[in-house]
Amino acid sequence: MKVNVDETKCQGHSRCYIIAPEIFEVDDYGYSHSKFTDDLPKDLEEKAKLACENCPEFAIEISE
Ligand code: SF4
């Protein structure tokens, strides 16, 4: 599973980071990006889904 943040949609309120700091990093303004360019570790997949479901901007993309 891969996770990506669409920077054109991200509004920088850091919700994803609060849910899954193992997966996401935020800049000084709260805008997020994924730490992982390759597949996520299996044990982080559920957290990635939870963060995706809680992003109000639908900015987090998950692909298999
Ligand atoms: S929750 Fe969504 S909009 Fe908010 S910082 Fe994370 S990716 Fe960006």
Side-chain angles (χ1 to χ4, degrees), residues 31-45:
Y31 290 90
S32 171
H33 67 271
S34 173
K35 295 179 183 178
F36 297 90
T37 51
D38 289 327
D39 284 340
L40 284 177
K42 282 276 180 210
D43 62 339
L44 293 178
E45 289 185 354

Side-chain angles (χ1 to χ4, degrees), residues 2-61:
K2 289 183 169 53
V3 63
N4 181 56
V5 176
D6 182 340
E7 62 186 35
T8 67
K9 294 181 180 172
C10 178
Q11 292 297 312
H13 25 58
S14 304
R15 232 188 249 199
C16 53
Y17 176 72
I18 292 165
I19 293 170
E22 308 94 327
I23 301 173
F24 301 97
E25 288 178 328
V26 291
D27 67 15
D28 290 345
Y29 303 99
Y31 290 90
S32 171
H33 67 271
S34 173
K35 295 179 183 178
F36 297 90
T37 51
D38 289 327
D39 284 340
L40 284 177
K42 282 276 180 210
D43 62 339
L44 293 178
E45 289 185 354
E46 286 306 311
K47 271 200 160 182
K49 290 178 188 171
L50 188 63
C52 181
E53 289 164 4
N54 281 277
C55 175
E57 310 300 334
F58 306 104
I60 300 173
E61 301 163 344

